[in-house]
Amino acid sequence: GGGGSTEDDDAYGDRAMAAACGMRDFLRAEPMRTYAGHDGDILALSFSRSSHFLLSSSMDKTVRLWQLAGAECLFAFQHIDFVTDVVFHPLNERLFLSGSLDNKLRVWSIKEKRVVNWSDVSGFITAVGFSRDGTTAFAGTYDGKCTFFETDGLRWRTQIHVRSTRGKNHKGKKITGVQMLADDAHVLITSNDSRVRLYRTNDFSLLCKYRGAVNASFQIRASFSRATARYIVSGSDDGRVVIWNTLNQLGEAVATAPTRALLPQPAAQAAAHDQAA
């Protein structure tokens, strides 16, 4: 078989998108379990690789570790300021990364219940993450900068300024999400200028800018589709779900659907409609 898209690929993609719209089969009005303990708004959640544990970060200046099976808080990791984002290490669930408004990026040991590495970041941290192999950590900030570190020792690697070259967004807007592709060769960055950008990680050059979602104020983050990363999906301030083809060099949305399409409705009503060029 040669490279490029095939009819089978297209059919698989169509089925995947239809399955996404079929999320109504998994949504229920009643929660399966409630985890109580934070004294402030919860800002981020992260599941462990084994799916046995959950981390939650909050405006009460803590990260809490929960055991999913029993809804029990196992420990509260105290911070100095609001904890805006948190994520488990992708390969070692005894470690996690947190970002805070005290401008510090921290790697925590769950077993030792302490910070094992930390680094100052120039700006309020609004998004954090790991590469898929766990060797790189990164932090996005309120002023549109994304800084990359070696996870071991949190040694500074590089920084990119996520912004337009001209216009009202030339100074950069808050970064709301950062995600590495599975091969760690590309990184997807979402920001409050209503743009999603795909960068190469070998030289951090901009590969593509995706337009169509409205993201001016909320903590919306775009993400790759799980199986093949063929699609990028994002929420939108105006209540839509927006989908792009990852390889679409024009960065135009290939489909959109209103958020209500994810609620229990006939599948036909939940189908995404094509956008005009």
Side-chain angles (χ1 to χ4, degrees), residues 26-92:
F26 299 96
L27 298 178
R28 298 290 184 269
E30 301 80 18
M32 293 176 59
R33 190 168 285 111
T34 300
Y35 303 87
H38 280 295
D39 296 323
D41 292 351
I42 295 172
L43 302 179
L45 300 169
S46 177
F47 288 97
S48 66
R49 186 185 184 190
S50 66
S51 297
H52 293 158
F53 302 100
L54 173 70
L55 289 170
S56 57
S57 67
S58 171
M59 293 176 68
D60 66 6
K61 306 178 184 179
T62 69
V63 169
R64 289 182 177 266
L65 174 67
W66 307 89
Q67 188 170 31
L68 287 176
E72 176 188 0
C73 179
L74 301 178
F75 195 76
F77 300 87
Q78 190 67 46
H79 290 63
I80 297 172
D81 210 327
F82 295 168
V83 190
T84 51
D85 205 2
V86 65
V87 62
F88 270 106
H89 190 282
L91 302 180
N92 183 358

Side-chain angles (χ1 to χ4, degrees), residues 234-253:
S234 175
S236 182
D237 285 1
D238 56 8
R240 295 176 300 131
V241 175
V242 182
I243 301 171
W244 298 272
N245 187 320
T246 303
L247 299 180
N248 179 4
Q249 296 299 308
L250 298 178
E252 298 170 344

Side-chain angles (χ1 to χ4, degrees), residues 91-103:
L91 302 180
N92 183 358
E93 61 184 37
R94 295 184 176 185
L95 298 176
F96 72 86
L97 186 70
S98 70
S100 174
L101 292 188
D102 65 356
N103 300 5

